[in-house]
Amino acid sequence: MAPGLMPEFLLGLALKAIYLMLPAYAANMAPVLFRKRLGFLAFPLDFGLEFMGKPLLGPHKTFRGLAAGVAFAVAVAFAQRIFELSGLLESLAVLEYSGWLYIGLLMGFGAILGDSMKSFAKRRAGISPGRPWMPFDQLDFAFGSLLFLIAYRWVGVPVFIAALASSLVLHVLVNHAAFYIGVRREKW
Ligand code: CTP
Ligand code: MG
């Protein structure tokens, strides 16, 4: 590849990775959007259990977050299928979306499961729910959803790496923006 084409290649790769990860981003944002809704689903994923004297996952991981995350991921994957059928954003798609339901379910469950595994480790490390824990808070959902996705469809090494890197960068940018406009208490 001519050296002048490198930035263009990397930008293209990043955009493809971000498009691939949209269901995971939706799954990661959904629990926050539903924090004050669907009260009947608000019970904790760990049923309040403790492990070695500390909460298993902590009170911030709820069935409400799981349900909202999976529903949002499926909705986004469905939208990607509609885009595909309409020929929109064709050049960004790494996947074929006829299996949108699997893609949505896998990425949604993967994102929330990755996030919960992170909380499990975070509680063992003695860090309270909601306190930042870099870079795990930023990568948990991306890693989880990618692992579940590649069990269904391999995306290639460059896209895999770009998906993790783009997720980290976007997560930091979005959280900082949310902090400065006052909708988040933690910058990270
Ligand atoms: N949330 C939820 N259920 C989930 C995941 C998240 O209800 N399965 C909601 C909680 O209200 C949580 C918020 O989304 O406070 C933000 O989620 P996240 O940043 O992932 O959790 P933290 O509050 O940082 O908790 P932890 O330290 O356990 O990661
Ligand atoms: Mg957090």
Side-chain angles (χ1 to χ4, degrees), residues 22-23 25-31 33-34 67-78 104 108:
L22 287 180
Y25 300 155
N28 194 49
M29 281 177 198
L33 299 176
F34 279 84
V70 172
F72 268 48
V74 169
V76 170
F78 179 66

Side-chain angles (χ1 to χ4, degrees), residues 33-148:
L33 299 176
F34 279 84
R35 198 150 40 181
K36 298 195 174 83
R37 300 187 178 96
L38 301 176
F40 70 100
L41 280 174
F43 47 93
L45 281 175
D46 66 4
F47 295 98
L49 292 175
E50 295 202 342
F51 178 63
M52 295 177 14
K54 296 207 171 88
L56 193 61
L57 302 176
H60 286 192
K61 303 293 125 132
T62 64
F63 281 92
R64 168 170 61 190
L66 173 67
V70 172
F72 268 48
V74 169
V76 170
F78 179 66
Q80 288 175 312
R81 172 62 172 160
I82 299 294
F83 277 26
E84 179 180 79
L85 292 174
S86 328
L88 289 170
L89 304 179
E90 233 167 5
S91 58
L92 290 185
V94 175
L95 295 175
E96 198 268 305
Y97 286 94
S98 58
W100 60 272
L101 186 58
Y102 295 120
I103 295 170
L105 288 173
L106 287 169
M107 293 190 82
F109 271 109
I112 300 295
L113 221 76
D115 177 50
S116 298
M117 295 310 292
K118 183 279 315 277
S119 290
F120 177 80
K122 200 168 168 181
R123 298 297 90 82
R124 309 285 73 74
I127 302 164
S128 307
R131 299 297 301 158
W133 196 35
M134 277 273 275
F136 308 108
D137 287 320
Q138 286 70 24
L139 284 172
D140 51 15
F141 72 96
F143 209 72
S145 60
L146 267 176
L147 284 188
F148 272 48

